[in-house]
Structure formats: structure tokens, C-alpha cells
Amino acid sequence: DPLMGDIYSVLWEPEMLTSMGDTINILATEALTQGLQQLLGSTILMSLMSAIQLPVVLTKLSYPIDNPWAVSLDRATAAGLILADSLIDRNLGTRPVTLVGYSLGSRVIYSCLQELARKGAFGLVQNVYLFGSPIVVKTDEYLRACAVVSGRFVNGYNRNDWILGYLFRLTNGGIRRIGGLAPIEGIAGIENFDVTEFVVGHMDYRTVTKTRDP
């Protein structure tokens, strides 16, 4: 690309990602069928996620989603460690790189940044764009991640991403602060970008990130 330079895509766990995507689509289809998407909107989402009982249709889907999602989070973290080693070894050349990811891809990048910080590998990453991140916001971790990014660090979030909220309700026992659901506040260097008006649901990030630049 004459403007962006060399562009690479990271291929990691394709079978697992396909399976997870199919499972999420089942969840979305069932929820739409039952008319639950509006009930899980931004205003009601927080109170619903803190409730003891889940809606019946989502309770039925808990079993097939819970374990694959937890495994996917762990695999994404592991892939980030490998990506960090690849950047340190300069396998993609010597120029600073811009990392762009959505959903689990954001978690891969976040894990990569943590590993780069741990190894003191500065000057490798110029910009970072994370969208719909399945990452629990911990200030100390984000500060370490920002330390290895010399340029922009953008957090794209969707206030109405009920799928991401529900998945964390299953695996983390509560909604807590998730990077992909709300702005990350109190951390210098992070630019928050509300994509709610551009992204209808969690599965739309793949299409939208190809056409817009925050």
C-alpha cells in the first residue's frame, strides 16, 4: 500500500475462531428470535447483567458458549506472546508497526503489548487501534501497554454490544469494566472512540473496520 506501507494479517487458531463465531451467531439468532436484543440495550444492560437469573433463552445457551469463550480468551493471550516475540525478532522488518484488532484480535494485541513491556521492548509499536476489546480494564496493565506505544492508542467501544457483555457475564461472574463496552478513563494516552452509531453488533466489527478510520 503506497500510504500505509506493508500490511499483514495475523492468522491464529482459525478453526477455533470459526467455531466461536458460529456459536456467537447462534446466540444472536436465538436472542433476536425471542425479541431480547432491545431488552439487552445499553440502559437495561447493566442492571440485567447484575441480576441473579438470566433470561430463559440465554440460560439455555450458557453451556455451549461458556467453555469455548474461556478457551478463546486464553488462546488469544497465548497468541499475543508469540506476536511479541515476532516483533522483537524483527520478522516483519525494522520499521515501527501499527496494530489493529477487533474482538479477540484486540486481546491478542493487548497481550502482545504486555509482553513487550515486560521485556522492555520499546520503539517497535507506533499506533494501536483496539475495537470491541474483551479485556477487563486494569489501570496498571493499560499503563504498561501504553508505555510501549509511541503514537496513538485508540479504544473503540460500543455501548450496546450486548453479546460482549453477556459473554463476560458468563465467564467473569459480572460485567465489571470492559474495554469494548465503555470508555477507558483516567489513563493518559488512551483515545476513546464511541463506535455505537457505526457498529450494530459485535459481529459487525469485521466489516466496519475495513471502511472507517477513527
Side-chain angles (χ1 to χ4, degrees), residues 6-187:
D6 298 329
I7 299 177
Y8 299 91
S9 296
V10 177
L11 180 65
W12 64 284
E13 300 285 356
E15 294 181 359
M16 181 204 69
L17 292 177
T18 299
S19 176
M20 190 67 239
D22 291 342
T23 304
I24 291 177
N25 280 327
I26 292 173
L27 169 64
T29 300
E30 289 295 325
L32 285 171
T33 301
Q34 299 297 325
L36 288 176
Q37 191 168 22
Q38 291 183 348
L39 294 178
L40 292 171
S42 59
T43 302
I44 301 176
L45 179 61
M46 295 304 176
S47 59
L48 180 61
M49 291 303 173
S50 62
I52 296 177
Q53 292 186 334
L54 292 170
V56 175
V57 64
L58 296 185
T59 303
K60 292 179 180 179
L61 291 172
S62 297
Y63 175 73
I65 293 176
D66 190 357
N67 187 58
W69 177 247
V71 172
S72 298
L73 294 177
D74 290 340
R75 296 282 181 85
T77 299
L81 303 181
I82 298 173
L83 177 59
D85 287 339
S86 180
L87 293 177
I88 292 173
D89 293 339
R90 302 286 188 174
N91 291 332
L92 301 179
T94 59
R95 292 173 296 179
V97 301
T98 291
L99 300 175
V100 182
Y102 60 89
S103 189
L104 289 168
S106 292
R107 192 177 180 92
V108 172
I109 294 173
Y110 186 72
S111 172
C112 170
L113 297 177
Q114 294 293 317
E115 183 69 0
L116 292 177
R118 188 183 71 83
K119 293 185 175 181
F122 301 97
L124 299 176
V125 178
Q126 183 171 355
N127 302 306
V128 168
Y129 298 86
L130 306 182
F131 299 93
S133 304
I135 301 168
V136 175
V137 176
K138 297 180 180 179
T139 301
D140 57 338
E141 290 186 357
Y142 267 94
L143 287 173
R144 285 197 296 270
C146 288
V148 296
V149 180
S150 59
R152 300 180 66 186
F153 193 127
V154 176
N155 173 59
Y157 65 94
N158 184 341
R159 291 175 282 105
N160 296 336
D161 191 345
W162 63 271
I163 287 181
L164 181 59
Y166 174 66
L167 290 171
F168 264 93
R169 169 70 161 78
L170 284 177
T171 56
N172 290 70
I175 196 67
R176 295 202 279 180
R177 293 177 61 201
I178 308 301
L181 293 176
I184 300 173
E185 300 174 338
I187 301 178

